[in-house]
Amino acid sequence: MDLLQKIKENKHLCFIDGATETTYSLSELLFEFPVSKSRTLVFLYLDNSIQSLACYLSAFNTVHTLVLLNNQLDISLKNSLELEYNPAMIYDATRNEIETYKLIDSDNGIIYHKETVQPTVHPNCKLMLSTSGTTGSPKFVKLSEENIMANATSIAEYLPIQKEDVTPLNLPLHYSYGLSVLHSNMLSGGKIVCGLPDILQREFWSALEQFKFSSLAGVPFVYEMLKRIGFLKKSYPSIRYISQAGGNLNINIKNLFIDYCFENNIEFYVMYGQTEATARISYVPPAKLKDKITSIGLPIPKGTLSLDPETSELMYEGPNVFGGYAVNKNDLTLWETIEQLRTGDIARKDEDGYFYITGRIKRFVKLFGNRINLDDVERFINRTFTTVVSACVGIEDTHLLVVYEGAELDAGEIKKVIFEMYKIHPKTIKIQQLTALPLTGNGKIDYKNIGLEYDL
């Protein structure tokens, strides 16, 4: 059974447009998305509006392979991705026209199409999600409908989702965490509210009171901001549980939310995942969170975690493991059977079977829940400012540290161009000029020592 077929069995499901307060059934949202003679590639530039959701679900209801992207990507990144992958169709409500594409449907969405030879796509490949958050990298994770269904059912099994729930769609659809919230709640939940303002805006909290949200989902930055805006000083009787993923939450803030949830009879689910596992890999049962506060928990249902005996790298097995990466259109014909997902994280396991991340192998940092490829940002800075050589590291998933040697630059200008290209908030970027970049014995940049001796 495919995902939409299973979702259609949920007779309690409906969707509310937060902007107009209009309620829709699933059948009312679905429209006849344009089809072609064979499976082809469709780019969907999305936000959390009811229009984006309708377009995503309608496109999912076809044989097409969907690439989900942030509609706020810089236009140069959009053009670069489209040139690389040559999608047959594009949905993008932010553009009035797209060169070489013809507008074919203006009633049900801003959908563009072109009649040229399209890349061949493997039949297993249903969704493609970016691994790099907002950087616009051409590297995508390839996911099958089986991957998506397996992960959605696993999440619905351990989260306390009920048919009476009112779930805010406050995370982006192009982000694997946000998409998993949508899928699992469509399977087992009730009302899903779309088109909401940012969770930090007053209007969001008015909507919470009006619609009586049952849950909240957030990345570490969201929880840091919730603390700052006074969330912990108020009570919200409709909220039954909250969930956190997208990086490591500061232990002090985590403790505050654990205490708040205990006092207000709210369950707090801390989860760990990767896009390569269709979002979720493990979770900490709320009753164990206080005792296992630094743990990523236990594997999700139908999943298995283990450690590489030589490197202690965390390994995951399960039906939600992806079918490989695509870095260009030639990769679309391929589908890998990956028995074990190498997470890139170094971990340990305690006597109760709970896992703990102790370090990283790969060069990524998570900011605002988006995984940022540090090498991509580094190359961009070196291209933009040709009089310097830079290096980028992540600091505890809270900051991007850029160090450089060479001519003195204006820190504000560096932050400005990084924000314009990657939408990384300037407040999370730290800039430092060094006399010389630290190097390893073989002359490579010593990333391990960058940031250790500098005051952040």
Side-chain angles (χ1 to χ4, degrees):
M1 182 180 291
D2 63 35
L3 181 66
L4 274 183
Q5 216 178 339
K6 186 68 175 175
I7 289 169
K8 287 175 183 177
E9 294 179 359
N10 181 4
K11 303 305 180 184
H12 303 279
L13 178 65
C14 66
F15 304 88
I16 301 174
D17 183 354
T20 65
E21 302 179 23
T22 307
T23 300
Y24 302 87
S25 66
L26 177 61
S27 60
E28 288 172 327
L29 277 191
L30 295 175
F31 61 84
E32 191 173 340
F33 196 91
V35 295
S36 54
K37 293 179 181 178
S38 61
R39 175 186 296 268
T40 190
L41 205 61
V42 177
F43 272 23
L44 302 178
Y45 293 97
L46 305 172
D47 54 22
N48 71 345
S49 66
I50 196 79
Q51 292 80 11
S52 278
L53 180 60
C55 192
Y56 166 64
L57 294 176
S58 299
F60 198 97
N61 204 30
T62 69
V63 298
H64 297 313
T65 296
L66 314 180
V67 183
L68 308 191
L69 294 154
N70 184 354
N71 72 349
Q72 295 302 309
L73 272 180
D74 185 271
I75 188 63
S76 66
L77 297 178
K78 291 181 178 180
N79 290 336
S80 177
L81 288 170
E82 290 156 14
L83 183 64
E84 178 61 56
Y85 283 97
N86 193 34
M89 281 174 272
I90 297 173
Y91 167 80
D92 189 353
T94 69
R95 286 187 276 182
N96 295 321
E97 61 178 357
I98 301 176
E99 190 175 351
T100 74
Y101 284 80
K102 178 182 178 182
L103 181 65
I104 58 170
D105 193 328
S106 58
D107 294 329
N108 296 315
I110 312 302
I111 301 170
Y112 299 88
H113 178 259
K114 70 175 178 180
E115 296 286 353
T116 59
V117 177
Q118 304 301 329
T120 302
V121 184
H122 194 282
N124 285 358
C125 187
K126 183 61 180 177
L127 274 188
M128 291 169 55
L129 299 178
S130 173
T131 63
S132 61
T134 55
T135 59
S137 166
K139 185 176 183 179
F140 291 97
V141 164
K142 294 183 289 188
L143 300 171
S144 68
E145 191 156 359
E146 180 189 359
N147 295 153
I148 300 160
M149 175 71 94
N151 204 236
T153 53
S154 289
I155 293 170
E157 187 174 331
Y158 72 78
L159 283 183
I161 301 172
Q162 299 177 0
K163 62 182 183 295
E164 299 86 8
D165 282 352
V166 182
T167 304
L169 199 63
N170 62 287
L171 294 171
L173 289 174
H174 60 83
Y175 175 37
S176 59
Y177 183 15
L179 198 61
S180 70
V181 170
L182 172 68
H183 288 160
S184 54
N185 278 278
M186 286 196 298
L187 281 175
S188 304
K191 298 175 181 176
I192 295 176
V193 186
C194 312
L196 293 166
D198 187 273
I199 198 169
L200 301 181
Q201 296 180 13
R202 183 176 299 173
E203 291 79 7
F204 178 89
W205 301 99
S206 298
L208 185 153
E209 297 288 346
Q210 177 184 356
F211 297 112
K212 301 190 184 308
F213 297 156
S214 308
S215 61
L216 287 177
V219 297
F221 175 76
V222 168
Y223 281 91
E224 291 165 9
M225 292 300 102
L226 289 180
K227 173 184 174 293
R228 192 170 298 178
I229 65 176
F231 175 90
L232 297 170
K233 297 177 181 177
K234 301 177 183 177
S235 63
Y236 305 90
S238 64
I239 297 180
R240 293 190 301 104
Y241 72 94
I242 60 176
S243 63
Q244 182 264 312
N248 187 37
L249 180 61
N250 176 283
I251 191 169
N252 295 324
I253 296 176
K254 194 184 290 187
N255 262 318
L256 290 173
F257 275 91
I258 290 172
D259 293 340
Y260 174 85
C261 288
F262 178 79
E263 293 166 2
N264 290 274
N265 198 29
I266 294 171
E267 290 187 300
F268 185 17
Y269 287 83
V270 173
M271 304 179 290
Y272 165 81
Q274 293 189 351
T275 304
E276 289 86 345
T278 326
R280 301 277 72 79
I281 288 175
S282 67
Y283 73 103
V284 184
K288 293 288 187 179
L289 189 53
K290 192 75 171 178
D291 294 334
K292 309 287 186 180
I293 192 166
T294 59
S295 174
I296 62 165
L298 304 169
I300 65 171
K302 302 182 184 68
T304 304
L305 284 172
S306 61
L307 300 176
D308 185 304
E310 294 184 4
T311 65
S312 294
E313 182 178 5
L314 187 66
M315 316 284 281
Y316 175 78
E317 294 180 58
N320 51 315
V321 173
F322 74 138
Y325 296 106
V327 295
N328 57 54
K329 59 179 172 286
N330 296 327
D331 294 329
L332 300 178
T333 62
L334 307 173
W335 185 267
E336 300 175 54
T337 300
I338 300 172
E339 299 294 339
Q340 282 192 318
L341 170 64
R342 290 188 168 272
T343 66
D345 288 321
I346 301 169
R348 66 177 179 87
K349 180 180 178 182
D350 72 10
E351 64 281 0
D352 298 319
Y354 284 72
F355 289 83
Y356 299 75
I357 301 299
T358 59
R360 268 208 181 118
I361 293 174
K362 297 181 180 179
R363 291 261 299 140
F364 293 102
V365 64
K366 280 190 175 179
L367 297 175
F368 306 100
N370 287 319
R371 187 164 60 167
I372 306 299
N373 186 318
L374 294 168
D375 293 326
D376 280 355
V377 180
E378 189 172 292
R379 284 192 291 267
F380 169 72
I381 295 170
N382 291 335
R383 286 198 309 268
T384 305
F385 302 97
T386 56
T387 58
V388 304
V389 177
S390 71
C392 298
V393 296
I395 306 297
E396 298 180 347
D397 281 344
T398 60
H399 291 88
L400 170 69
L401 172 63
V402 178
V403 298
Y404 70 93
E405 66 175 73
E408 185 173 356
L409 300 175
D410 178 76
E413 181 63 19
I414 300 175
K415 293 180 181 181
K416 180 173 178 287
V417 298
I418 293 174
F419 175 76
E420 289 175 346
M421 179 58 76
Y422 301 118
K423 302 299 183 291
I424 301 173
H425 199 285
K427 287 186 177 180
T428 67
I429 303 172
K430 304 293 183 181
I431 311 292
Q432 287 191 312
Q433 182 183 20
L434 306 179
T435 305
L437 294 177
L439 302 176
T440 62
N442 60 5
K444 295 183 178 180
I445 294 175
D446 187 359
Y447 290 104
K448 288 184 178 179
N449 286 321
I450 292 176
L452 294 180
E453 56 189 282
Y454 309 116
D455 181 18
L456 295 179

